[in-house]
Amino acid sequence: MLKRLSILAVFSALVLAGCVASPEPAEDDRLYQALGEREGIERIVEDMLIRVTDDVRIAHYFRGIPLGDLRDELADQFCELAGGPCEYTGRDMREAHEDLDLSRADFNALVEHLIAAMERHHVRVPDQNRLLAKLAPMERDMVD
Ligand code: HEM
């Protein structure tokens, strides 16, 4: 009897432990999905960088910058922000942009190209706005 009770106790403890350690609820990755997952995000970022480096207002900032690396960093960052399974490991936004002396107009120009790239890749406007809302607070770290 005692043996049966102790087996029951161990079993209950295991069940309880299982409950406590139950998996986290699934992360909200709807924006990640809406952007076309990692592949879609890479395409959007690449398209944005082509437009940015073709825009006389801001192209000069990107001269001499390894664009393949920048694309990968941006894709990691957007993917993580959108709830995807990525980790951005680059510099924080203040540090990455502090020597560039960016203006609000520069920031807006880049956002303009990001919107055009998302349009081109058929991202719905509410989803575009979701990504933009995550990026907007970064402006204060980049623009003086
Ligand atoms: C929402 C706006 C922006 C976001 C999310 C963003 C994001 C990033 C990221 C993730 C990096 C890589 C940092 C690293 O390698 O550690 C970076 C670097 C860079 N960004 Fe931005 N950026 C933004 C706006 C701008 C604007 C407006 C410009 C210029 C017009 C710009 C120019 C650059 C340049 C030139 C680099 C490379 C700096 C270097 O390697 O020294 N960025 N940005």
Side-chain angles (χ1 to χ4, degrees), residues 85-99:
C86 311
E87 192 189 357
Y88 171 64
T89 56
R91 290 168 290 173
D92 72 48
M93 290 299 94
R94 186 177 297 282
E95 201 187 336
H97 299 88
E98 63 187 352
D99 293 339

Side-chain angles (χ1 to χ4, degrees), residues 95-139:
E95 201 187 336
H97 299 88
E98 63 187 352
D99 293 339
L100 300 176
D101 204 16
L102 295 176
S103 68
R104 173 168 285 188
D106 296 326
F107 188 88
N108 291 342
L110 181 134
V111 169
E112 208 180 277
H113 294 305
L114 173 59
I115 293 171
M118 288 193 286
E119 276 290 322
R120 163 99 172 64
H121 293 277
H122 313 293
V123 177
R124 291 162 58 247
V125 171
D127 295 319
Q128 294 182 19
N129 289 339
R130 278 184 197 109
L131 180 62
L132 295 174
K134 290 178 185 292
L135 299 177
M138 296 178 182
E139 182 184 345

